Amino acid sequence: MKVSLMHGAGGEVMGELLQRIFSHLTRTNAGGIGLEAMDDGAVIPINGTNIVFTTDSHIIRPLFFPGGDIGRLSVCGTVNDLAVMGGKPIALSCGLLIEEGFDVAILEQIVRSMNEALEESGTNLVTGDTKVLERGALDGIAINTAGIGVATQIVRDSGLETGDQIIVSGTLGDHGLSVLTFREGFDLGEQIRSDIAPLWGLVETALEAGEVHAMKDPTRGGFASAMNEMAKKSNVQVLIEEESLPVRKSVRSAADMLGIDPLEVANEGKVILGVAREDAEEILAAIRSHHYGHDAALVGTVVAGSRVIMRTRVGGERFIEPPVGDPVPRVC
Ligand code: MG
């Protein structure tokens, strides 16, 4: 068997590969949340403090696109994986893999973007590593970051309970469609911008406003993948109201034109939350009061069952399936 692009698409095929190669690893993270949970990060309890730990590699093309660049992405990807575990980011590492011949001025620009996102997140880089590969061994640059956070309240992606309300923190599909349309040179009149943003501030606001049972950031595979993973791990069914799903008009029309489902492409500044019904309105209001959450919406309800079902605008119902492949590769 050889590794294919499908193995990096974040879906079931990738899960099967990870299961195959990692399932025999020795586990020593007793009492914490480890690899077997396949959550957004691990949790290591040390003397009563919950240390959250995560890592993410970034290989996006092009390196600069409307709304962001690989530098901002490489910080936000990791900060957000900490945030959706309930972790306040406290330190990041940065591993740079650079192809021989890469322009140093571009590298400086990327690091400036990283720094801006770090400042916004209230954290900084504390360690790193740089390797240069011979020309042709790599397409320009790849950036890995790892992050450590501290969580007062751990939130898992498997914590949905029947009766919970589903909130999304803003419009869906912006990042994937912005990178794709920019990369392919489509002129759509109105430019679509990526939503890349560090989300700890927004998540903290939500956690303070009420009971949050589950969180996940809908990155690779988009809302469809993340929502299915949350439902599956929580052993529940989720009913989504299509009418409530926030999708920008420009994103919807670009997606229609390209035959892509905006629910299946990556977001880099959004979070899906499962919250206690009685706290839903308060949490929604808190998220909307945050500058990254103005378009937040209540989009669904958790019931007994095992699927993600969407009630369509015309009154029908259809399954929201997890995407098999990656409709838009190399966006994160
Ligand atoms: Mg994640």
Side-chain angles (χ1 to χ4, degrees):
M1 183 174 133
K2 307 278 187 200
V3 172
S4 74
L5 282 173
M6 286 280 283
H7 287 118
E12 248 166 70
V13 181
M14 182 170 102
E16 282 160 20
L17 176 70
L18 298 185
Q19 181 66 25
R20 176 167 168 173
I21 61 177
F22 287 124
S23 62
H24 308 297
L25 286 186
T26 311
R27 312 235 182 273
T28 52
N29 186 20
I33 297 172
L35 204 55
E36 64 287 346
M38 301 271 282
D39 209 322
D40 298 285
V43 176
I44 308 160
I46 301 175
N47 298 330
T49 302
N50 293 310
I51 303 295
V52 186
F53 185 35
T54 194
T55 185
D56 205 340
S57 298
H58 303 87
I59 53 165
I60 192 164
R61 286 297 171 279
L63 300 175
F64 297 82
F65 46 86
D69 59 50
I70 191 171
R72 184 168 174 80
L73 180 71
S74 64
V75 169
C76 295
T78 290
V79 163
N80 294 348
D81 274 339
L82 294 174
V84 294
M85 295 297 293
K88 173 187 167 66
I90 56 170
L92 263 70
S93 76
C94 170
L96 294 175
L97 296 173
I98 310 168
E99 184 189 13
E100 178 190 10
F102 196 80
D103 196 326
V104 172
I106 295 175
L107 199 53
E108 286 174 328
Q109 211 176 331
I110 289 169
V111 173
R112 268 199 300 277
S113 287
M114 291 183 79
N115 196 50
E116 275 174 30
L118 286 161
E119 274 182 9
E120 197 185 334
S121 315
T123 182
N124 49 46
L125 283 185
V126 292
T127 186
D129 175 58
T130 304
K131 296 283 189 313
V132 179
L133 287 84
E134 69 276 17
R135 213 177 281 267
L138 179 76
D139 183 10
I141 189 169
I143 304 179
N144 172 276
T145 53
I148 296 177
V150 174
T152 320
Q153 180 200 346
I154 301 165
V155 184
R156 309 190 57 166
D157 58 8
S158 57
L160 294 177
E161 297 173 18
T162 54
D164 282 357
Q165 301 293 291
I166 302 294
I167 294 174
V168 294
S169 68
T171 53
L172 298 169
D174 300 16
H175 177 72
L177 266 307
S178 102
V179 174
L180 179 69
T181 52
F182 184 69
R183 183 162 68 198
E184 305 299 333
F186 292 118
D187 183 9
L188 300 159
E190 186 192 353
Q191 188 156 61
I192 302 167
R193 292 176 66 79
S194 168
D195 60 350
I196 300 186
L199 292 175
W200 169 245
L202 180 145
V203 166
E204 190 180 29
T205 307
L207 293 177
E208 283 166 0
E211 210 178 296
V212 176
H213 292 156
M215 281 194 284
K216 196 164 195 65
D217 53 338
T219 52
R220 234 177 343 180
F223 177 83
S225 175
M227 196 69 261
N228 269 285
E229 200 177 331
M230 292 174 84
K232 193 175 177 185
K233 287 180 174 174
S234 312
N235 290 313
V236 293
Q237 183 146 305
V238 177
L239 294 176
I240 297 292
E241 301 292 339
E242 184 177 28
E243 210 161 26
S244 313
L245 282 174
V247 179
R248 280 181 214 284
K249 233 174 156 181
S250 54
V251 167
R252 194 181 293 284
S253 51
D256 281 351
M257 193 183 87
L258 297 165
I260 287 170
D261 185 345
L263 301 185
E264 294 190 355
V265 304
N267 308 272
E268 292 294 341
K270 298 293 149 54
V271 53
I272 302 173
L273 305 95
V275 308
R277 180 185 289 273
E278 58 275 19
D279 292 347
E281 286 301 333
E282 217 154 316
I283 294 172
L284 179 65
I287 293 174
R288 280 186 175 160
S289 73
H290 191 275
H291 57 280
Y292 289 135
H294 292 332
D295 299 318
L298 247 170
V299 300
T301 306
V302 179
V303 297
S306 62
R307 303 290 294 265
V308 179
I309 295 172
M310 180 154 77
R311 291 202 187 107
T312 64
R313 278 197 191 77
V314 291
E317 281 189 353
R318 72 168 176 88
F319 293 124
I320 296 181
E321 304 280 4
V324 182
D326 203 339
V328 193
R330 288 193 74 177
V331 291
C332 54

